Amino acid sequence: MPNITLSGVAKSYGGHDYAVRNLDLTIPDGAFMCLLGPSGCGKTTTLRMIAGLEQPSAGTIAVGDRILDSVEHGRYVPPEKRGMGLVFQNYALWPHLSIRENVEFGLRMRKVPGPERRARAEEALRMVHVDAAMDRYPSQLSGGQQQRVALARMLAINPEVLLLDEPLSNLDAQLRLEMRAELKRIHEESGATIVFVTHDQLEALTMATDIAVMNQGELQQLAAPMDMYDRPANRFVAEFVGSPPMAIVDTGPEPGGLAGSLLRHVAARAECVPAAVGIRPEALRFGPPPAGAWHEEATVEAVLPAGSSWTVRLRILDTDLYAVSYTPVDSAPGDTVTCWTERMHLFDADGARIAAWDEAGVAA
Amino acid sequence: MAVLTKAEAPPPPPGRRRLLYRLQVLRHDPTAALGLILVVVLGYLVVAPLVAVLSDSARLQYGDEIHAGQRPGEWTGYYLWRVFRSQISGLLFWEPLLNTLVVAVGTTLFALIVGGGMAWLVTRTNVPGRKWLAGALVVPYMLPSWTFSLAWLTLFKNERAAGQVGILQSVGIRTPDWLAYGPLPIIVTLGLHYYPFVLLLVGNALRRIDVQLEDSARILGAPQRTVIRRIVVPLMLPALSSAVLLVIGRVLGTFGTPYVLGLPADYRVLSTGLFQSIRDRSTGVASVIAMVIVAIGILIVLADTRMMREHRRFVTVGGKGAMDRLSDLRRWRWPAFALGVVVFLVSVLVPVLTLLLSTVTRTPLDLSTFTLDYWLAERLPGAVGFPHGVFRGSELWAAAWNSLRIVGLASIICAVLGLLIGYVVVRGTAPRVAAFLRQVSFLPYLIPGIAFAAASLSLFAVARGPIPALYGTTFLLILVMAVTHLPYSSRSGIAAMTQLGREPEEAAQIAGASWWQRMSRIVFPIQKGALVTGIILPFVSGLKELSIVIMLTTTGTQLLTTLSIGLVDYGYTQLANAVVLVIALVSFTMTYLTQRLTNSSLASGLGG
Ligand SMILES: Nc1ncnc2c1ncn2[C@@H]1O[C@H](COP(=O)(O)OP(=O)(O)OP(=O)(O)O)[C@@H](O)[C@H]1O
Ligand SMILES: [Mg+2]
């Protein structure tokens, strides 16, 4: 299946507010694309428009050069003809059908003969580990099991495009890891295109080949996971992706304290005057600084060990921020340490990122 | 890559393309089309009759040219004048209005006292046999409302009206007219039918009040009297006002009892007056009276919603906390139980037994004249219009078949319409259509059935455009009966569909199912339970429906209820009693079974 393209897609549910506005997005064939954003930013709406359950107010949705949905072209292909699979945020299992019948339904609609239908349904259920509950009804399953049945129902019809709306949100940590791996395997084996909605940035970073970050109905950035992390397009993305989030210090008209310290360091080396400077927690290091790195004295306020890493809450001059260390931290609250960094992100007054500053100089 | 342009509304595409697009969406998702069809259907069945009756009341009818000095079809105030200001307006309107008010107030007080008292007894005291009493005391509501009036006549009737005299008279006790006919018997018999209504509403409210609320007030030092005045009464007010207004509304539209007990003494209420005017073919006058009934009905429901809104803040009080603590009646326990039993006896057992006895003896109370002739005889001497037992001949069976067929079809239509309305409302593709459907399907609730039937007559009595005159057809009966029960079915349909949401259907759509497949394999099967309840509840209440059908049946389409009233008209008391017993038995059995099978409560079926 060729690329899915959304161009100029907007959706309003009546009224003046747009749930999605002016969305240009290309989902390459075989991609594992994550739609990432805070609650209410329009992820579900976007997904439903791709599936055809919601009609865009404007714009065009196409697969290759086959237009699926476009008011401008006067064309609409209904969901049942798009051949996509969708897992709903609230599962939407059919309460009057058994688990097996739920999974078989799509195959029945495709007139798959009985024996093959049963075999495929069983295989799909086995894949998500609910084959033991095959003859029960949805109300007799736990939330997590229902979610997995919803997945199986979609997998059984073997769609070329899989749309998933937070399909793992109700699973425990163990099962979620397993299902992530399973989804990744399915993706690799089938070559299907997957659009995966989540508000869990860690999930997006671990699974996606491409991430699209949305906020208030607008696309903020589209990039590969590590690019997104290293070069966030703007303050929103910088703060949304990464945990703990990037610390961003506004410089203001008369920068003092930490802002002043950072700005002086940047101004001595670059032409631009950023409106805000951001530092990722793991870029903030302790100990004697290398030559040319920015450094400052800091007071340790709290140390939060998390097994393999240590999150430290610091106070530098007038500002609190977090640092993450992957080596044991032996400071206690109240201690004074020297911390330094060689990598900062610079933002202009509109919040767009202008550059990253690191030891090699100003980098894009 | 970042797209940070602020959204500008893109230029609208050319109209033709937009239309093409809409058509394609419509083809695959006919919800909007379905919505429009429903709008037209409801507009025609609900709104048009009201418009027609309004226009009939203000246009000169054929036959009145000489009196009014105008040509037929002209706008006229003649009927308004005739009903409200002429010499006969006292007879036509003011007296029936006054009588209606007397009956309404009397019935309401009766129902409040009996129903309220019994509600307190079965919810808040340790009276023995509470469970049994709570169930037994709602039985009167499962019987046709005029069962009681026939039983009353069987007991108290004197020679004034045609047919066999009552039991008292036949053993030599003279019954005066005021005891046999008119307001007193009407109030008592209607009260006996409607007190379960109060019992249910007030009982539910009492059950919801947390005893802890009373306790905490008492702990704070409030004396018992203050607790009742400041806590219990305000909490009860919504239920009480609802019960009062709904009983008044029901009494306003009820036909059977005032017809049976009022007419022999020329005691007229609005509903019987309306019926008379239609019988006399005074369409204009009938329309005006119907409008008045509609107006009062609307006022009552508006008053009720208003009160409910004002009291909304009280409603969600209390959990299940200390609910099991009941007032200890001590030595009054058994007397209280006896009182409950007496109410049951008077409201169920006595009327039913009286009717039954009257049908198996030739001379009242004289068991030596025991006979099954009224049920089974091939020939009954003296009864010219119905010369055999009720189970013989074809009349009863034909009427029963008609009732089954007509009420059954109406209920099915009603339930399906209700679900479809719910479907369109929940799909939400057309908010304005949804709002219209929601409101218009509720409109019949405001209108007493008899007035609505009169309105439908206005619309369907003559051919209008492509639609032929429907008067006297079963089709009209089915339509009107379905529409009058629509408020309940549309509400439950909307509730059922809202609870389901639209995702299950969308999931089927994604799985490749067409609209028909979605409806037949997903939506309707999931709603099977709602559909069954939606059919059975209107069916049970439609079986005992009289006020609506009395206006619309002709001799060709007798139903069980109209057959029984017809027999009363002839003065064949025993036969009429026998038929009403049949209706009572069927309706009671069905209600009972429905409650058992679907776990639905009678309160949700208060539509009858
Ligand atoms: N049917 C609807 N009618 C009106 N507004 C809607 C409707 N569905 C969604 N919205 C609005 O559109 C916006 C986007 O909703 P959407 O469901 O796409 O968010 P989301 O990103 O999926 O959020 P979440 O992570 O909470 O699921 C929200 O502001 C929401 O209130
Ligand atoms: Mg969502």
Side-chain angles (χ1 to χ4, degrees), chain A residues 48 69 74 94 96 110 219, chain B residues 3 21 24 504 506 511 521 526:
Chain A
R48 287 171 59 86
D69 211 324
W94 300 302
H96 65 305
R110 284 165 178 69
L219 182 63
Chain B
V3 181
Y21 182 78
Q24 288 185 48
E506 289 174 343
R521 285 172 179 256
I526 293 181

Side-chain angles (χ1 to χ4, degrees), chain B residues 536-537 540 589-600:
Chain B
I536 290 182
L537 288 179
V540 173
T589 319
M590 297 226 23
T591 317
Y592 183 77
L593 285 181
T594 313
Q595 291 192 36
R596 268 295 142 90
L597 294 180
T598 63
N599 262 333
S600 66

Side-chain angles (χ1 to χ4, degrees), chain B residues 143-316:
Chain B
L143 309 175
S145 65
W146 32 281
T147 316
F148 305 90
S149 56
L150 291 188
W152 187 278
L153 278 190
T154 307
L155 284 171
F156 297 108
K157 187 165 168 308
N158 58 25
E159 307 86 356
R160 187 179 174 123
Q164 197 185 31
V165 294
I167 291 177
L168 287 184
Q169 192 91 355
S170 70
V171 299
I173 305 170
R174 280 204 53 78
T175 46
D177 279 356
W178 61 262
L179 182 62
Y181 315 106
L184 177 78
I186 296 181
I187 286 172
V188 173
T189 51
L190 281 182
L192 285 178
H193 179 64
Y194 284 120
Y195 84 82
F197 206 100
V198 180
L199 187 143
L200 289 171
L201 286 172
V202 172
N204 280 343
L206 277 176
R207 222 166 271 143
R208 267 205 306 267
I209 297 182
D210 195 334
V211 183
Q212 284 166 353
L213 286 172
E214 292 168 49
D215 287 349
S216 49
R218 225 169 286 165
I219 288 166
L220 292 173
Q224 175 89 39
R225 226 169 346 105
T226 320
V227 171
I228 290 182
R229 190 165 52 86
R230 302 290 296 272
I231 311 272
V232 178
V233 170
L235 287 172
M236 292 304 299
L237 264 181
L240 281 177
S241 70
S242 254
V244 165
L245 289 168
L246 290 182
V247 170
I248 294 179
R250 285 300 147 76
V251 171
L252 184 68
T254 195
F255 172 78
T257 304
Y259 181 76
V260 171
L261 290 174
L263 238 49
D266 265 339
Y267 187 82
R268 262 179 231 207
V269 295
L270 286 177
S271 59
T272 48
L274 173 63
F275 176 68
Q276 206 84 48
S277 301
I278 287 189
R279 272 281 154 91
D280 299 344
R281 309 209 163 265
S282 344
T283 312
V285 168
S287 306
V288 175
I289 298 178
M291 293 300 305
V292 172
I293 298 181
V294 170
I296 300 178
I298 290 180
L299 276 184
I300 286 173
V301 176
L302 289 187
D304 184 41
T305 29
R306 204 196 156 103
M307 294 244 210
M308 285 305 255
R309 200 171 308 137
E310 259 164 40
H311 292 293
R312 175 77 44 83
R313 52 211 152 100
F314 294 129
V315 173
T316 49

Side-chain angles (χ1 to χ4, degrees), chain A residues 38-45 47-48 89 165-166 197-199:
Chain A
S39 182
C41 69
K43 308 180 294 285
T44 298
T45 305
L47 207 66
R48 287 171 59 86
Q89 195 165 3
D165 198 347
E166 308 198 17
V197 164
T198 178
H199 57 240

